[in-house]
Amino acid sequence: MPAPVFLQDSPEAAAPRVDLPGADLLRALAVAAVIYSHISFYVIDDLGSSWWLIDLVYGVVIEPAELNQHLSFVGVAAFMMLTGALVTRSAIRDRPGKFLSNRFSRLLPAFWVAIAVAILLVRLGVNGMFSGQEGITDVQALLSFFFGGFFLKPEVAVLGVTWTLAVQFLFYLACVVARPVLRMRPVVMPLAGAALCSLVLLYNVYAPSPYTVPMLSKIAATLPTIFLGQIMYLAWAKRAPARWLIVAVLAQIHVILVATQFRVYWAGEHYLWTITVVAAAVVVLGRYDGPPTRWAWIRWVSTRSYVIYLAHTLVLYRVVENAAPHTGMTVAVVLFLIATAAVSEVGYRWVEMPGVRVVAAWRAGRARVASKNELVRRHSRTRVRKIHADRP
């Protein structure tokens, strides 16, 4: 049997562009699923109440499709798959410094501001912690700016949704480490990633409790969704043999089954099916280029999806708690959505985009300095050659 044919060591050959006109639509749907999940968790689990929209979604979507209760993990899985599908090309083509600065300049400023606001709200007594503690110490607060609170035992989470960023950042770093592999044999990365995730899950199951790190299991159980997105890109770009892509998909399924068996997931046992449905939606809608992909409100939600994701739980509980007894749940949720939209617009315009511009300006300045230095070096070499040529 002939050996599999992989990629040449050329960024142009290794990373062709794959257009995903449906990405904005997918982001908007993912935002809706995440917000719905947290509303549903809060109303049912915390308030012990009900709401007509939750009953409708359960009867029309969750039960017929056999998805997780509260649409748990639907939005997160969609965001993660988009990350894998959209970032892999940049990881192959861009140098590590440029790749990481692009990612971090977009994510870190808003993340740090959201963490600072969350800490302030906890210390003012407006919001509570997301991990059961009464408050947060200075050391725990400092660690939270670098995801350190998630790795403590017991976990300390001042803003619970940011655990997914730890997964994404780890994937970005893995892409930098694996860049030579991504350029030559890209399908090896999701295969090796699945093997490593399985080992992490098994370690946390069988190691003595004092030596386990529960957050690592959560990361290992979530990374397969990013690798599935990466596999989608490799398939669309025709950058690996089909049989190896199938093996890579089966490897991710194995990790998901192991995580389900050892109860790493937190909202039921339908995770493999839920992830399968989300993957099918990403495959179908990712290449879709119909009118909904160009609607203004879809574009608005998509471009602000990251800040919405960070801000919505900071707003949700206090708005609904204070408004619902006077207005009813429906009006309270509408007020929550309006407040979240306003906060997200401010965060997008005054935090997220300025951070991107600052890093872009810094990189442009470095490029100008490098270009000037190169011109000086060329001029010096020319003068040296001329001096040598003029010697008798």
Side-chain angles (χ1 to χ4, degrees), residues 37 41 45 58 62 66-74 221 255-275:
S37 293
F41 272 115
D45 295 350
Y58 184 82
I62 294 174
E66 298 183 353
L67 300 175
N68 286 333
Q69 177 65 299
H70 311 296
L71 290 182
S72 179
F73 209 63
V74 170
V255 176
I256 295 166
L257 290 175
V258 170
T260 303
Q261 178 183 352
F262 292 125
R263 301 190 179 280
V264 176
Y265 297 119
W266 51 92
E269 310 238 341
H270 293 172
Y271 276 84
L272 177 58
W273 176 245
T274 295
I275 291 170

Side-chain angles (χ1 to χ4, degrees), residues 21 30 40 54 120 144 151 173 176 211 219 344 349:
S40 182
I54 295 175
L120 179 62
S144 297
F151 295 90
L173 294 174
V176 169
Y211 304 105
I219 291 173
S344 300
R349 289 184 179 273

Side-chain angles (χ1 to χ4, degrees), residues 13 36 125 154 170 190 198 202 243 247 284 296 350 385:
Y36 171 83
L170 185 61
S198 296
L202 293 174
R243 60 185 178 276
V247 172
V284 172
W350 293 359
R385 285 196 295 268

Side-chain angles (χ1 to χ4, degrees), residues 101-280:
S101 66
N102 281 343
R103 308 280 83 73
F104 292 169
S105 66
R106 194 66 182 260
L107 299 180
L108 282 179
F111 165 67
W112 281 333
V113 169
I115 291 293
V117 171
I119 292 169
L120 179 62
L121 291 175
V122 167
R123 291 192 165 173
L124 291 176
V126 177
N127 281 358
M129 295 288 290
F130 286 81
S131 51
Q133 295 89 355
E134 298 253 337
I136 185 169
T137 68
D138 291 341
V139 172
Q140 292 168 347
L142 179 61
L143 288 173
S144 297
F145 286 96
F146 305 95
F147 307 108
F150 291 115
F151 295 90
L152 298 176
K153 293 175 66 175
E155 180 181 290
V156 176
V158 70
L159 184 54
V161 296
T162 57
W163 72 267
T164 60
L165 294 181
V167 181
Q168 287 182 284
F169 280 25
L170 185 61
F171 175 73
Y172 299 152
L173 294 174
C175 284
V176 169
V177 172
R179 186 169 182 261
V181 172
L182 277 174
R183 288 164 60 90
M184 293 292 292
R185 295 174 174 81
V187 77
V188 171
M189 182 172 177
L191 286 170
L196 184 57
C197 288
S198 296
L199 291 175
V200 169
L201 292 172
L202 293 174
Y203 170 81
N204 271 345
V205 168
Y206 293 111
S209 181
Y211 304 105
T212 60
V213 185
M215 180 60 182
L216 290 179
S217 287
K218 202 170 185 179
I219 291 173
T222 307
L223 276 171
T225 56
I226 301 187
F227 289 132
L228 286 171
Q230 186 173 69
I231 293 166
M232 290 175 194
Y233 169 78
L234 297 178
W236 286 326
K238 296 180 172 52
R239 295 296 89 189
R243 60 185 178 276
W244 285 101
L245 293 173
I246 293 171
V247 172
V249 170
L250 294 175
Q252 310 314 315
I253 291 173
H254 168 76
V255 176
I256 295 166
L257 290 175
V258 170
T260 303
Q261 178 183 352
F262 292 125
R263 301 190 179 280
V264 176
Y265 297 119
W266 51 92
E269 310 238 341
H270 293 172
Y271 276 84
L272 177 58
W273 176 245
T274 295
I275 291 170
T276 301
V277 171
V278 173

Side-chain angles (χ1 to χ4, degrees), residues 51-65:
W51 183 36
W52 65 269
L53 184 60
I54 295 175
D55 296 334
L56 178 65
V57 171
Y58 184 82
V60 174
V61 179
I62 294 174
E63 188 174 33

